């Protein structure tokens, strides 16, 4: 998006440094939500106030069911997208320019259902005082199991909020991963994924952190020529001093092998290179190759409350239309987002020279990302379609889509119907060790 366009947009700048003291924590009960979003509605009421914490589970579930039945307020197409430019990311504007006959945006009423367990709110309140980054900002050294920086004063704090946001404790996913090419050809990979956010152990007694943040294991179910392979990752909060560890399970050898560390712009075979390693979960990993700038907080149209996508199988040809996901299946709403810019440092290497991230204030999840090449051209664009999951409880991705404007292709990853399971208890000790994984796969 052009710099001049940003000046037109409704922007709420929040770049003044907030000093950590007990009284600032009171804001999380007054003008801010328990994790740091603005509680109140916007000036015209198109973004409502947040009150999800006041609802019973039954009332919240009924709310979600009503959302599924809503009709769009209006639809934006290429013919009049310029009228909405202040609310659109550069990536969305590019989608209209490149696919004017097929891409449109159904815009629905805005709802703010995001909430999470009370104990994570209490931990977040303590983080106002105790959360701590390394002097460079590249490593998270201390935090209780909640949002580390609910009153952020820098872009790097916001990126750490994204990487440590509440996604549940222990999750099992059954996913389809599809690459859709310009001519409509589709490559499909079916996978099973387990992930454990050790950062969110409720019984953690200290703010100081073990280097591990998340334990992750993926297993290929199909197609047959790839089935049986697996990848185990121990992810890190301190990537410069303790890089993430990775192991590959080779089905033919029936053993685990240490893998070169996957990170930064390492290519990923499952997306035919459309998505690189640090784009998993929209962004993950070390921050050290970029200079990070907080541009402020804006009102924007973003994918949100895509409840119907929780149940759609992503191998459905009616959904996987050429160039982008079927526009009929999308839902956009107006929300406030933090805008963070990353520019490649001199002498550093990455295929993306410039990146802009849009982070939902109610969840700290990146919901859109604009990725630019070395010439400064918008090359790729990612969208996260989130939904509310009662068993988590909270907002979680129902589908991620990564668009390559040069290839006119996209990669998408989504749940296979009801293929997302949340567990409130951690797995047994050693469950994500290389030995345990090997034993389980050899059975």
């Amino acid at each position: 998006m052009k710099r001049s366009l940003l000046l037109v947009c409704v922007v709420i700048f929040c770049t003044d440094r907030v000093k950590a003291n007990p009284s600032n924590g009171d804001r999380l009960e007054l003008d801010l939500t328990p994790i740091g979003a603005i509680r109140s509605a916007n000036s015209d009421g198109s973004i409502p106030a947040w009150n999800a914490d006041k609802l019973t589970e039954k009332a919240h579930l009924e709310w979600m069911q009503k959302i599924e039945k809503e009709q769009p307020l209006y639809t934006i197409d290429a013919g009049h997208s310029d009228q909405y430019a202040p609310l659109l990311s550069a990536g969305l504007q590019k989608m209209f320019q490149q696919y004017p006959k097929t891409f449109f945006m159904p815009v629905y009423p805005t709802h703010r259902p995001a909430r999470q367990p009370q104990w994570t709110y209490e931990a977040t309140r303590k983080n106002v005082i105790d959360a701590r980054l390394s002097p460079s900002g590249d490593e998270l050294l201390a935090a209780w199991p909640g949002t580390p920086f609910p009153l952020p004063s820098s872009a790097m704090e916001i990126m750490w909020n994204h990487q440590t946001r509440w996604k549940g404790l222990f999750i099992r996913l059954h996913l389809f991963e599809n690459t859709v090419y310009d001519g409509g050809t589709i490559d499909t990979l079916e996978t099973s994924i387990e992930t454990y956010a050790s950062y969110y152990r409720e019984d953690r007694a200290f703010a100081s952190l073990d280097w591990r943040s998340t334990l992750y294991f993926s297993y290929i179910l199909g197609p047959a020529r790839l089935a049986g392979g697996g990848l185990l990752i121990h992810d890190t909060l301190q990537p410069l001093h303790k890089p993430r560890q990775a192991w590959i399970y080779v089905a033919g050898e029936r053993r685990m092998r240490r893998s070169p560390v996957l990170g930064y712009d390492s290519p990923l075979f499952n997306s035919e290179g459309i998505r690189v390693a640090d784009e998993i979960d929209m962004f993950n990993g070390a921050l050290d190759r970029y200079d990070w700038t907080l541009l402020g907080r804006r009102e924007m149209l973003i994918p949100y409350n895509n409840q119907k996508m929780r149940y759609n199988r992503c191998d459905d040809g009616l959904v996987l239309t050429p160039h982008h996901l079927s526009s009929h299946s999308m839902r956009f709403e107006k929300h406030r987002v933090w805008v963070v810019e990353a520019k490649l440092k001199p002498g550093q290497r990455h295929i993306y020279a410039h990146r802009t991230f849009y982070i939902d204030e109610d969840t700290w999840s990146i919901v859109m990302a604009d990725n630019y090449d070395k010439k400064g051209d918008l090359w790729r664009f990612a969208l996260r379609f989130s939904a509310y999951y009662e068993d988590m409880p909270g907002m979680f991705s129902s589908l991620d889509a990564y668009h390559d404007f040069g290839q006119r292709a996209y990669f998408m990853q989504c749940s296979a119907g009801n293929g997302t399971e949340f567990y409130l208890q951690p797995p047994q000790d050693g469950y994500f060790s290389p030995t345990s994984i090997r034993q389980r796969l050899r059975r």
Side-chain angles (χ1 to χ4, degrees):
M1 182 178 288
K2 295 181 180 179
R3 182 79 56 181
S4 59
L5 184 57
L6 289 176
L7 299 177
V8 180
C9 302
V10 179
V11 182
I12 305 172
F13 285 100
C14 301
T15 53
D16 291 336
R17 183 157 190 87
V18 180
K19 296 180 180 179
N21 60 58
S23 62
N24 282 332
D26 293 340
R27 296 191 63 198
L28 304 182
E29 297 178 0
L30 299 173
D31 61 307
L32 302 179
T33 71
I35 65 169
I38 296 173
R39 242 178 223 273
S40 62
N42 67 347
S43 59
D44 65 5
S46 55
I47 299 175
W50 181 82
N51 59 8
D53 60 334
K54 296 180 175 62
L55 299 178
T56 64
E57 290 186 15
K58 179 181 178 182
H60 200 282
L61 178 60
E62 291 174 349
W63 184 17
M64 296 302 97
Q65 292 171 342
K66 289 180 181 178
I67 287 176
E68 290 186 39
K69 299 176 183 178
E70 288 181 335
Q71 297 299 313
L73 295 172
Y74 57 93
T75 298
I76 304 172
D77 60 30
H80 65 294
S81 63
D82 289 350
Q83 300 175 28
Y84 298 91
L87 298 173
L88 303 178
S89 67
L92 286 173
Q93 294 182 60
K94 181 77 171 182
M95 293 289 284
F96 283 117
Q97 294 166 11
Q98 186 138 338
Y99 310 117
K101 295 182 179 180
T102 57
F103 182 74
F104 58 86
M105 289 174 53
V107 180
Y108 288 76
T110 297
H111 299 275
R112 300 176 66 185
R115 63 180 183 178
Q116 55 194 60
Q118 179 63 34
W119 60 267
T120 68
Y121 295 157
E122 295 166 0
T124 297
R125 178 73 178 263
K126 292 193 290 184
N127 281 337
V128 173
I129 301 298
D130 294 335
R132 180 165 54 92
L133 292 179
S134 63
S136 67
D138 293 309
E139 300 188 314
L140 183 59
L141 303 180
W144 297 99
T147 301
F149 305 107
L151 308 174
S153 59
S154 71
M156 298 179 89
E157 288 181 352
I158 288 176
M159 296 305 290
W160 277 112
N161 283 352
H162 162 75
Q163 295 203 66
T164 58
R165 73 191 186 282
W166 171 251
K167 303 188 291 286
L169 181 65
F170 179 31
I171 315 169
R172 287 193 173 102
L173 303 169
H174 181 191
L175 299 178
F176 284 105
E177 299 176 321
N178 303 289
T179 304
V180 185
Y181 300 96
D182 188 15
T185 303
I186 302 171
D187 282 344
T188 298
L189 190 70
E190 188 176 358
T191 59
S192 173
I193 292 177
E194 296 178 324
T195 180
Y196 166 48
S198 54
Y199 173 90
Y200 273 99
R201 281 198 73 124
E202 184 179 359
D203 60 358
R204 189 151 56 80
F206 303 98
S208 57
L209 291 163
D210 176 63
W211 65 271
R212 293 176 181 85
S213 62
T214 305
L215 308 179
Y216 167 96
F217 175 65
S218 66
Y219 178 73
I220 300 174
L221 301 173
R225 59 187 172 83
L226 298 174
L231 174 66
L232 171 66
I233 292 176
H234 291 184
D235 214 351
T236 178
L237 296 166
Q238 293 143 24
L240 301 189
H241 292 91
K242 190 69 175 179
R244 65 167 52 123
Q245 297 178 354
W247 295 262
I248 294 176
Y249 180 77
V250 183
E253 300 176 6
R254 305 186 71 187
R255 68 185 183 92
M256 301 291 290
R257 264 193 334 211
R258 279 299 293 267
S259 169
V261 175
L262 295 172
Y264 301 110
D265 56 357
S266 300
L268 299 174
F269 80 93
N270 63 335
S271 64
E272 302 299 328
I274 291 176
R275 181 181 70 164
V276 297
D278 70 6
E279 289 182 280
I280 296 173
D281 194 31
M282 303 298 277
F283 180 86
N284 73 92
L287 306 175
D288 60 309
R289 293 192 181 181
Y290 290 93
D291 289 318
W292 298 86
T293 303
L294 174 57
L295 299 183
R297 192 158 22 187
R298 290 177 52 190
E299 295 178 5
M300 300 188 72
L301 294 173
I302 63 174
Y304 219 87
N305 286 316
N306 286 271
Q307 298 300 113
K308 293 180 181 179
M309 287 187 183
R310 287 181 50 178
Y311 315 110
N312 290 344
R313 286 175 59 94
C314 289
D315 55 350
D316 184 348
L318 297 177
V319 174
L320 301 179
T321 55
H323 305 139
H324 54 78
L325 178 71
S326 169
S327 295
H328 292 283
S329 64
M330 299 180 185
R331 179 188 175 108
F332 289 85
E333 299 179 3
K334 185 195 289 186
H335 286 262
R336 286 182 288 246
V337 299
W338 295 90
V339 184
V340 169
E341 184 178 71
K343 291 188 175 180
L344 195 62
K345 292 178 178 178
Q348 292 286 2
R349 182 187 62 81
H350 199 287
I351 64 170
Y352 301 138
H354 172 202
R355 308 166 83 165
T356 305
F357 298 99
Y358 306 88
I359 302 96
D360 169 38
E361 69 165 351
D362 284 333
T363 62
W364 294 111
S365 175
I366 295 172
V367 290
M368 299 185 295
D370 301 328
N371 297 309
Y372 296 81
D373 63 19
K374 292 179 174 61
K375 296 180 181 179
D377 295 327
L378 183 56
W379 177 13
R380 290 174 173 170
F381 173 55
L383 283 168
R384 162 157 287 172
F385 295 88
S386 60
Y388 187 84
Y389 288 77
E390 298 83 9
D391 294 338
M392 185 177 150
M395 299 293 289
F396 191 75
S397 173
S398 57
L399 185 150
D400 291 345
Y402 300 79
H403 304 84
D404 187 307
F405 293 119
Q407 296 186 58
R408 298 173 64 87
Y410 67 103
F411 168 78
M412 59 186 289
Q413 183 181 61
C414 75
S415 173
N418 289 316
T420 303
E421 299 177 292
F422 296 93
Y423 299 87
L424 301 179
Q425 297 299 320
Q428 62 188 25
D429 290 344
Y431 185 82
F432 283 91
S433 70
T435 299
S436 173
I437 296 294
R438 185 182 67 247
Q439 290 175 345
R440 281 193 277 151
L441 293 182
R442 292 179 64 181
R443 291 172 187 163

